[in-house]
Amino acid sequence: MDELWWQAAAEERLLLQSCLDCGHRQHYPRALCTSCGGEDLGWSRAGGGGTVDAFTTVHRAPDPELAVPYVIARVRLDEGPILLTRLIGDEPWTCDERVRLTWWRGMPAFEKE
């Protein structure tokens, strides 16, 4: 189920799982729709816009190869799902800030619009 998601990510495309019964979009990929319980799920491409919901600055990395500080955030996509992701850029961040999709080490990340 999530192989397609990883393949799209390798091509720098962010996919969301979409319920063909009720239209609900969700992330991460699951076997059932989290809204109606439907099993008929497909994929749609995310538009790339979102809003910072919450964030924290990491000063002690779990891996010595990662440069600190860096910012981890919850971003609510315009389509509704929330991603736990990295914010790119040294600017001061605020909640409710508009961001756009970029990519960092093969994973979706966000930067200021």
Side-chain angles (χ1 to χ4, degrees), residues 1-111:
M1 160 180 23
D2 59 350
E3 294 86 14
L4 185 60
W5 189 91
W6 285 107
Q7 180 183 5
E11 298 167 3
E12 296 189 350
R13 293 182 298 119
L14 179 58
L15 295 183
L16 300 174
Q17 205 172 34
S18 301
C19 179
L20 301 177
D21 294 328
C22 73
H24 176 73
R25 293 184 183 168
Q26 60 192 27
H27 180 79
Y28 58 94
R30 299 172 175 102
L32 299 173
C33 173
T34 58
S35 179
C36 73
E39 298 178 20
D40 196 9
L41 302 169
W43 297 95
S44 62
R45 189 169 182 172
T51 304
V52 174
D53 181 293
F55 67 94
T56 189
T57 302
V58 177
H59 294 280
R60 293 181 65 193
D63 180 345
E65 306 248 339
L66 288 174
V68 290
Y70 61 89
V71 179
I72 298 296
R74 281 176 30 129
V75 170
R76 182 173 299 277
L77 299 177
D78 292 342
E79 294 84 0
I82 295 173
L83 269 67
L84 185 60
T85 186
R86 185 174 178 135
L87 297 181
I88 305 296
D90 294 331
E91 301 94 30
W93 294 97
T94 60
C95 287
D96 299 323
E97 188 153 20
R98 291 289 302 164
V99 290
R100 68 174 176 255
L101 178 65
T102 189
W103 293 85
W104 181 82
R105 294 188 178 184
M107 296 295 293
F110 289 82
E111 61 190 2

